[in-house]
Amino acid sequence: MLLKINQLTKSYKINREEKFPALKGVDLEFNKGEMIAVIGESGSGKSTLMNVLGGLDKDYQGQVLFQGKDLKGLKEKELDKYRKNQVGFIFQSFNLIPHLSVLDNITIAMTLSNIGKEERTKRAKEILKEVGLEDQMKKKPNQLSGGQKQRVAIARALINDPEIILADEPTGSLDSETSAQIMKIIEKIADQGKLVIIVTHSERVAKNCNRIVEIADGLIIKDQKNNDSRVLPSEKKSEKGKQNLSFMSAIGLSFKNMREKLTRNILVALGASIGITSVIIMLSIGNGVEKYITNTMNEFVNPLVVEVNKKSQTTDTTTQNPGSIMMAATTPFTDEEIAELAQVKDVKEVEKAYAKTSFNSFSIQLGEEKKAFQSLATLSKNVTSENITEGDMPEAGEILISASLNEQYAESLIGKEVILNTEVGGKKLEGTYVVSGLFGEISSMMSNINIVYLNYGDLESMAVEAGAVIEPNTVYLSTDKESKVQGIKDTIKEMGYEGSIQEQLLEMFTEMLSVMTYILSAIAAISLVVSAIMILVVLYISVVERTKEIGVLKAIGARRKDIKRIFVAEAFLIGLVSGLIGILVAVLMMLGINFLTNKLYEVDLVVISVYYALFGLGVSIVISVLAGLYPAAKGAKLDPVESLRRE
Ligand code: ADP
Ligand code: MG
């Protein structure tokens, strides 16, 4: 006895109170090799019976015993296996999966069992030969005639060599000639020793069967043998399909489906990539700025010294000396202010300094050769021997000149005596000094400004000689630990002072950048949320569109997990593609932005590292997959009988 049902009753819920009894206590026994026609009026309960026998419908009372085992007692996993390996379903409306080729449609049950492509194709060819379709393998279902479609469906039902074939009006949509061909194939299957149960309205079909069961109003009213039932010896079936749908196969299946809706999927990926691009660019701008700061600033400035300037009021100085353009702050500090700065927490030492920039009145002269420089500054702790590219720090009577100024002379000025011409408060100052060493460039921004450093005392005595007064316009505060520097900088800001001109430029720069980063992170956050919703909606639509396909897959033996996996794989693919697009766009943007900032500041503003790109890709995939979980779960939960009924 292969299949036996005891007192099978089944009612459909119509609404909360009412139920409709479709089967009212059916007892039947089926053997291997039998070919049974189930006949009856429309609505008598034939399809209901088939769905229960096929393990598609679990909501019934009574017993269905397969090889003596009650289907009710099976775990969900075991019931999935029963459908996958023991039952082959053939439907009236064929129910082929439209975006898969004939070959893929037939082998889908093997794919669900994670059987390799080679074996799948080999088996498919055998079966296609049996149903006479060996030359149609590559076609899509809509390229086939009705009879051909049904033969594909039969091949699909046979692929896992099941014990039971359930055919619900298999010839219902076919003309009589094609029906006859299909019936021949089905008869051949029964001859191979399988149990074949056919629901039919056709007298002719019923006559071909060796047993006729008639149902009326959910009850068996006739069960009659046509001729001797052909009971064949049962051979032990090899256990197959132990494994389940692999993630790679799921990706493959999803890919085939997504190819059908290529434009839609590309548009979604494109939309989702905006957020990913923003994330990558945001991270990479921070990266570029940090590199810029560490590379150019800290190298040239003593990290333990804080430069303090007063807020510049340059107008009066320029009118005093109309020819010079003032760049550095020149407002002098009073003694009280300097004393106040000395009191700032963590400050260990205060140094007075003087700096002035002029574009026409400063020069040094070696013999007859006279070259202009633009910035005069007194030495302080912010210049260290590390900033000197050649020579030594200047003592009293010595000066330090920038390397670029030295280059303007044919020979090096180090160790040579030069005449220094400057101007302070409208008075010309002059003195003779020995060049002790060369100073490297502060930053690329300042590269065309030549600087001369001298000791504060020397500048003061030159001024006294000329009848001018030097008032310190810069103060340097030293401390003993780098960790204390930021605190001091913050305090002097609160007191109303400013840092060095480089610092001020940098501050402006970083402020601009932080505005940009805020905008970018807002865009990133919003678009990530939007893309998550978008992906969710698209996959949800995909689930709805593919309801019937999900029903077919379940009838073939797909587990919930397999269905879930197919949709998660789809989400994964969208995430992957949108991540890749995001990276590509980010790299293009990087090239564009860096081209501009290189022209303006000689800086690469955006530095995308491999990690940021991978991070962006990861974010994209994670968001997509998370967004895909809900539709995937929704699809997995669909009831197979209802899904199959969907038009
Ligand atoms: P058939 O013999 O034509 O295949 P079915 O088994 O499909 O008949 O249906 C048997 C009875 O159950 C019919 O009266 C039908 O209207 C009813 N029925 C089938 N499916 C449902 C359902 N999902 N909800 C309510 N009634 C149903
Ligand atoms: Mg029916």
Side-chain angles (χ1 to χ4, degrees), residues 12-14 20 22 41-48 645:
Y12 288 106
K13 268 198 193 94
I14 297 172
F20 181 86
E41 303 268 300
S42 170
S44 54
K46 305 180 298 290
S47 295
T48 307
R645 198 176 289 133

mmCIF file of all heavy atoms in Angstrom, residues 12-14 20 22 41-48 645, ligand 1:
data_model
loop_
_atom_site.group_PDB
_atom_site.id
_atom_site.type_symbol
_atom_site.label_atom_id
_atom_site.label_comp_id
_atom_site.label_asym_id
_atom_site.label_seq_id
_atom_site.Cartn_x
_atom_site.Cartn_y
_atom_site.Cartn_z
ATOM 1 N N TYR A 12 -13.346 24.519 4.249
ATOM 2 C CA TYR A 12 -12.743 25.831 3.999
ATOM 3 C C TYR A 12 -13.447 26.850 4.870
ATOM 4 O O TYR A 12 -14.667 26.839 4.994
ATOM 5 C CB TYR A 12 -12.909 26.232 2.536
ATOM 6 C CG TYR A 12 -12.041 25.434 1.586
ATOM 7 C CD1 TYR A 12 -12.598 24.467 0.770
ATOM 8 C CD2 TYR A 12 -10.672 25.685 1.510
ATOM 9 C CE1 TYR A 12 -11.801 23.743 -0.115
ATOM 10 C CE2 TYR A 12 -9.878 24.964 0.631
ATOM 11 C CZ TYR A 12 -10.445 23.998 -0.176
ATOM 12 O OH TYR A 12 -9.659 23.297 -1.037
ATOM 13 N N LYS A 13 -12.658 27.739 5.440
ATOM 14 C CA LYS A 13 -13.244 28.858 6.182
ATOM 15 C C LYS A 13 -13.709 29.884 5.169
ATOM 16 O O LYS A 13 -12.936 30.331 4.327
ATOM 17 C CB LYS A 13 -12.178 29.495 7.073
ATOM 18 C CG LYS A 13 -12.130 28.920 8.463
ATOM 19 C CD LYS A 13 -11.389 29.879 9.406
ATOM 20 C CE LYS A 13 -11.047 29.196 10.695
ATOM 21 N NZ LYS A 13 -9.690 28.605 10.736
ATOM 22 N N ILE A 14 -14.976 30.257 5.238
ATOM 23 C CA ILE A 14 -15.475 31.274 4.320
ATOM 24 C C ILE A 14 -15.346 32.642 4.972
ATOM 25 O O ILE A 14 -14.857 33.594 4.397
ATOM 26 C CB ILE A 14 -16.943 30.998 3.931
ATOM 27 C CG1 ILE A 14 -17.007 29.659 3.188
ATOM 28 C CG2 ILE A 14 -17.494 32.124 3.071
ATOM 29 C CD1 ILE A 14 -18.394 29.182 2.928
ATOM 30 N N PHE A 20 -17.108 25.873 4.931
ATOM 31 C CA PHE A 20 -17.698 25.119 3.837
ATOM 32 C C PHE A 20 -17.038 23.743 3.774
ATOM 33 O O PHE A 20 -15.830 23.647 3.563
ATOM 34 C CB PHE A 20 -17.505 25.862 2.521
ATOM 35 C CG PHE A 20 -18.111 25.131 1.364
ATOM 36 C CD1 PHE A 20 -19.450 25.303 1.049
ATOM 37 C CD2 PHE A 20 -17.349 24.226 0.617
ATOM 38 C CE1 PHE A 20 -20.009 24.613 -0.014
ATOM 39 C CE2 PHE A 20 -17.919 23.534 -0.444
ATOM 40 C CZ PHE A 20 -19.256 23.718 -0.757
ATOM 41 N N ALA A 22 -15.672 20.676 2.121
ATOM 42 C CA ALA A 22 -15.343 20.268 0.762
ATOM 43 C C ALA A 22 -15.143 18.758 0.674
ATOM 44 O O ALA A 22 -15.443 18.144 -0.344
ATOM 45 C CB ALA A 22 -14.089 20.998 0.288
ATOM 46 N N GLU A 41 -18.393 16.214 -10.617
ATOM 47 C CA GLU A 41 -18.829 17.539 -11.026
ATOM 48 C C GLU A 41 -17.822 18.590 -10.561
ATOM 49 O O GLU A 41 -17.099 18.368 -9.591
ATOM 50 C CB GLU A 41 -20.180 17.868 -10.367
ATOM 51 C CG GLU A 41 -21.271 16.890 -10.643
ATOM 52 C CD GLU A 41 -22.068 17.302 -11.860
ATOM 53 O OE1 GLU A 41 -22.647 18.397 -11.825
ATOM 54 O OE2 GLU A 41 -22.093 16.527 -12.839
ATOM 55 N N SER A 42 -17.854 19.718 -11.212
ATOM 56 C CA SER A 42 -17.029 20.833 -10.755
ATOM 57 C C SER A 42 -17.482 21.244 -9.357
ATOM 58 O O SER A 42 -18.675 21.330 -9.093
ATOM 59 C CB SER A 42 -17.204 21.989 -11.739
ATOM 60 O OG SER A 42 -16.609 23.130 -11.198
ATOM 61 N N GLY A 43 -16.512 21.420 -8.472
ATOM 62 C CA GLY A 43 -16.846 21.821 -7.109
ATOM 63 C C GLY A 43 -17.115 20.651 -6.189
ATOM 64 O O GLY A 43 -17.493 20.840 -5.033
ATOM 65 N N SER A 44 -16.885 19.426 -6.667
ATOM 66 C CA SER A 44 -17.182 18.266 -5.837
ATOM 67 C C SER A 44 -16.066 17.968 -4.826
ATOM 68 O O SER A 44 -16.266 17.189 -3.901
ATOM 69 C CB SER A 44 -17.433 17.044 -6.722
ATOM 70 O OG SER A 44 -16.333 16.869 -7.606
ATOM 71 N N GLY A 45 -14.890 18.566 -5.021
ATOM 72 C CA GLY A 45 -13.808 18.377 -4.046
ATOM 73 C C GLY A 45 -12.587 17.666 -4.596
ATOM 74 O O GLY A 45 -11.719 17.240 -3.835
ATOM 75 N N LYS A 46 -12.480 17.551 -5.925
ATOM 76 C CA LYS A 46 -11.367 16.813 -6.523
ATOM 77 C C LYS A 46 -10.019 17.510 -6.276
ATOM 78 O O LYS A 46 -9.056 16.874 -5.830
ATOM 79 C CB LYS A 46 -11.592 16.669 -8.039
ATOM 80 C CG LYS A 46 -12.924 16.024 -8.406
ATOM 81 C CD LYS A 46 -13.110 15.909 -9.901
ATOM 82 C CE LYS A 46 -13.147 17.219 -10.659
ATOM 83 N NZ LYS A 46 -14.330 18.050 -10.437
ATOM 84 N N SER A 47 -9.974 18.813 -6.548
ATOM 85 C CA SER A 47 -8.707 19.535 -6.348
ATOM 86 C C SER A 47 -8.329 19.555 -4.876
ATOM 87 O O SER A 47 -7.145 19.440 -4.523
ATOM 88 C CB SER A 47 -8.821 20.965 -6.864
ATOM 89 O OG SER A 47 -9.003 20.959 -8.252
ATOM 90 N N THR A 48 -9.325 19.693 -4.036
ATOM 91 C CA THR A 48 -9.074 19.693 -2.600
ATOM 92 C C THR A 48 -8.391 18.388 -2.192
ATOM 93 O O THR A 48 -7.386 18.397 -1.460
ATOM 94 C CB THR A 48 -10.404 19.855 -1.838
ATOM 95 O OG1 THR A 48 -11.072 21.008 -2.342
ATOM 96 C CG2 THR A 48 -10.180 19.990 -0.354
ATOM 97 N N ARG A 645 -3.676 29.184 -6.876
ATOM 98 C CA ARG A 645 -4.974 29.549 -7.427
ATOM 99 C C ARG A 645 -4.930 30.946 -8.046
ATOM 100 O O ARG A 645 -5.784 31.316 -8.833
ATOM 101 C CB ARG A 645 -6.029 29.487 -6.320
ATOM 102 C CG ARG A 645 -7.446 29.410 -6.876
ATOM 103 C CD ARG A 645 -8.481 29.249 -5.793
ATOM 104 N NE ARG A 645 -8.423 27.938 -5.193
ATOM 105 C CZ ARG A 645 -8.430 27.738 -3.870
ATOM 106 N NH1 ARG A 645 -8.458 28.748 -3.051
ATOM 107 N NH2 ARG A 645 -8.394 26.522 -3.377
HETATM 108 P P1 ADP B 1 -13.152 20.615 -7.913
HETATM 109 O O1 ADP B 1 -13.754 19.270 -7.737
HETATM 110 O O2 ADP B 1 -13.875 21.406 -8.962
HETATM 111 O O3 ADP B 1 -11.706 20.616 -8.093
HETATM 112 P P2 ADP B 1 -12.518 21.954 -5.451
HETATM 113 O O4 ADP B 1 -11.835 20.906 -4.699
HETATM 114 O O5 ADP B 1 -11.676 23.012 -6.048
HETATM 115 O O6 ADP B 1 -13.486 21.364 -6.549
HETATM 116 O O7 ADP B 1 -13.543 22.670 -4.479
HETATM 117 C C1 ADP B 1 -14.456 21.945 -3.667
HETATM 118 C C2 ADP B 1 -15.374 22.938 -3.000
HETATM 119 O O8 ADP B 1 -14.659 23.725 -2.085
HETATM 120 C C3 ADP B 1 -16.034 23.872 -3.999
HETATM 121 O O9 ADP B 1 -17.372 24.053 -3.666
HETATM 122 C C4 ADP B 1 -15.288 25.167 -3.809
HETATM 123 O O10 ADP B 1 -16.131 26.268 -4.028
HETATM 124 C C5 ADP B 1 -14.845 25.094 -2.392
HETATM 125 N N1 ADP B 1 -13.557 25.750 -2.191
HETATM 126 C C6 ADP B 1 -12.399 25.464 -2.817
HETATM 127 N N2 ADP B 1 -11.410 26.272 -2.373
HETATM 128 C C7 ADP B 1 -11.968 27.091 -1.467
HETATM 129 C C8 ADP B 1 -11.476 28.149 -0.646
HETATM 130 N N3 ADP B 1 -10.209 28.525 -0.657
HETATM 131 N N4 ADP B 1 -12.339 28.785 0.178
HETATM 132 C C9 ADP B 1 -13.637 28.409 0.214
HETATM 133 N N5 ADP B 1 -14.160 27.441 -0.514
HETATM 134 C C10 ADP B 1 -13.347 26.752 -1.357
#
